[in-house]
Amino acid sequence: MKWLYILLVSILDILIAACLARIAEEGSQLLMFGIVLAVLWLLPLPIGIWALIRYWALYHLVMKKRMSRAYSVQFHRFDFPRADAFFDADQYLSHIMDDEETPKNAKLKAAALVGEMAAYREMHPFTVGFAANLAFQDAMANFRPDPRPFSSDATEPTKFFSIR
């Protein structure tokens, strides 16, 4: 399927270059065809490199801490076990899904995180896919589960103002 996409895009580029070359002056049609085709095929490269540089700069400045915190909150919310023995996110999540002592809601959340990270890796392998994996591993390294579970009173909303 990937080759079909490349073939169709290349044919479209060649058609655009041919149309613009036909409009050009009589002696410079081949030159115009080559220049237009070179621009259409080479211009996306520096634009893509600039987008990668911009993404990774923003990731290290802002997004890494936010993504790591979001994963850490999910670890605490769903009572994930300690992650000290694991380095890889996939191994940690598969351990959670396979462990008999892990609560069911943690297993379901681990399965959802596996799917989410796989989708990120498939759709944006050089940006969000890699960044999500790095943030997840950072959250794993900093994760310390609560030593005791909360009582049911701790999860109830606090009433600051009571009007009777």
Side-chain angles (χ1 to χ4, degrees), residues 53-153:
I53 291 169
R54 198 175 51 201
Y55 179 84
W56 284 107
L58 285 174
Y59 171 77
H60 287 292
L61 291 174
V62 178
M63 291 171 36
K64 182 178 181 180
K65 188 181 288 185
R66 288 185 181 186
M67 289 174 75
S68 182
R69 281 184 190 161
Y71 285 129
S72 182
V73 165
Q74 291 179 7
F75 291 171
H76 285 286
R77 183 180 297 154
F78 292 98
D79 296 327
F80 277 26
R82 291 184 70 90
D84 295 339
F86 302 97
F87 175 73
D88 186 32
D90 292 329
Q91 289 178 346
Y92 176 58
L93 292 172
S94 65
H95 168 73
I96 291 172
M97 290 186 294
D98 295 337
D99 190 19
E100 295 296 327
E101 297 175 5
T102 305
K104 186 175 182 178
N105 63 349
K107 289 182 179 188
L108 293 174
K109 186 59 182 179
L113 286 172
V114 166
E116 176 183 320
M117 292 178 70
Y120 287 151
R121 275 185 241 141
E122 183 67 29
M123 294 170 59
H124 306 286
F126 299 112
T127 55
V128 181
F130 196 59
N133 203 13
L134 288 176
F136 193 91
Q137 289 177 357
D138 186 50
M140 282 173 47
N142 297 326
F143 175 59
R144 302 290 175 261
D146 296 325
R148 58 182 170 75
F150 289 119
S151 67
S152 61
D153 296 336

Side-chain angles (χ1 to χ4, degrees), residues 36-50:
V36 170
L37 202 57
V39 167
L40 288 175
W41 285 354
L42 296 178
L43 188 63
L45 184 64
I47 292 172
I49 291 171
W50 173 242

